[in-house]
Amino acid sequence: MSDLPPEEIRIIEFGEEDAEEISELLHQVWPLATDYPEHWRAMRMYSPEEIVEDMRNGYHYFGSRLQGEIVGVYKAIVTDKGLYGEHQTVRPECRATGLASAMYIQFAEFGRQHGCKRNYCNILVGQEVGERLMKRFGFRPWGDPYEQSEGMFVQLYERPLEESSPKDL
């Protein structure tokens, strides 16, 4: 599963029927995310019921499958500020394949389709991969870093959607 050819990456929206598999992925990946405090990682390992509740409360879960299995996911919700994305999770063996990039491109497309003026998300302060992706996809810091959870500082980033189009990403 280590090779995910970019031309084969398709980002799709998952439904309630996928909640069990999404939960399994979160339980596989988040314990390994040692950049984050342990209490935060534990909170990110949603149960299938929590995922279904999220979906029923307006969150959209997007991601990709490889050989029939979910290998990456993120969730997004339309707010009065734009399209907020969070919880990006990619199986370790699928990192550096273009999967996260494909999700950021789809994140912009979905935002535009829903009339959003911006995408926005939090990135852990000092997390090089996240900060590189922000720069690559035209996000800019929005406000000052803040403590999202005890001992965990994040920077909010925004990407105005009217200034870029999918071909620019």
Side-chain angles (χ1 to χ4, degrees):
M1 262 198 214
S2 61
D3 293 324
L4 190 65
E7 66 274 3
E8 293 184 21
I9 298 174
R10 276 192 39 237
I11 306 302
I12 59 171
E13 184 166 1
F14 296 119
E16 291 182 16
E17 68 278 5
D18 300 304
E20 181 76 38
E21 192 176 356
I22 292 168
S23 177
E24 289 171 11
L25 176 66
L26 299 176
H27 280 81
Q28 289 171 358
V29 174
W30 278 92
L32 307 174
T34 57
D35 290 354
Y36 295 87
E38 189 172 341
H39 72 276
W40 184 258
R41 290 182 277 151
M43 289 181 357
R44 304 316 273 175
M45 293 185 275
Y46 295 171
S47 69
E49 295 77 21
E50 290 171 307
I51 293 165
V52 168
E53 183 179 339
D54 259 1
M55 290 175 175
R56 292 179 180 174
N57 286 319
Y59 280 92
H60 300 267
Y61 278 73
F62 298 102
S64 187
R65 292 183 179 276
L66 179 62
Q67 298 171 352
E69 295 181 24
I70 296 175
V71 294
V73 70
Y74 82 94
K75 71 180 196 176
I77 190 165
V78 175
T79 73
D80 60 343
K81 296 176 186 174
L83 183 63
Y84 177 66
E86 65 176 328
H87 214 132
Q88 189 176 59
T89 305
V90 176
R91 264 201 190 158
E93 63 268 25
C94 293
R95 292 187 183 142
T97 62
L99 178 54
S101 293
M103 286 192 256
Y104 278 107
I105 292 168
Q106 185 272 341
F107 183 38
E109 291 170 354
F110 188 82
R112 282 189 197 91
Q113 290 168 359
H114 287 81
C116 296
K117 299 293 183 202
R118 72 171 54 90
N119 286 145
Y120 66 107
C121 59
N122 285 309
I123 297 294
L124 193 62
V125 171
Q127 187 183 49
E128 291 179 20
V129 171
E131 291 173 352
R132 258 195 328 267
L133 283 166
M134 293 297 94
K135 185 175 182 176
R136 178 175 177 204
F137 288 102
F139 285 81
R140 58 186 178 224
W142 190 16
D144 295 321
Y146 68 97
E147 192 172 21
Q148 185 176 23
S149 186
E150 186 179 339
M152 188 180 90
F153 287 85
V154 297
Q155 173 65 58
L156 186 62
Y157 283 86
E158 70 166 333
R159 169 177 52 190
L161 294 176
E162 64 274 4
E163 293 178 12
S164 62
S165 66
K167 68 181 184 332
D168 297 330
L169 301 177

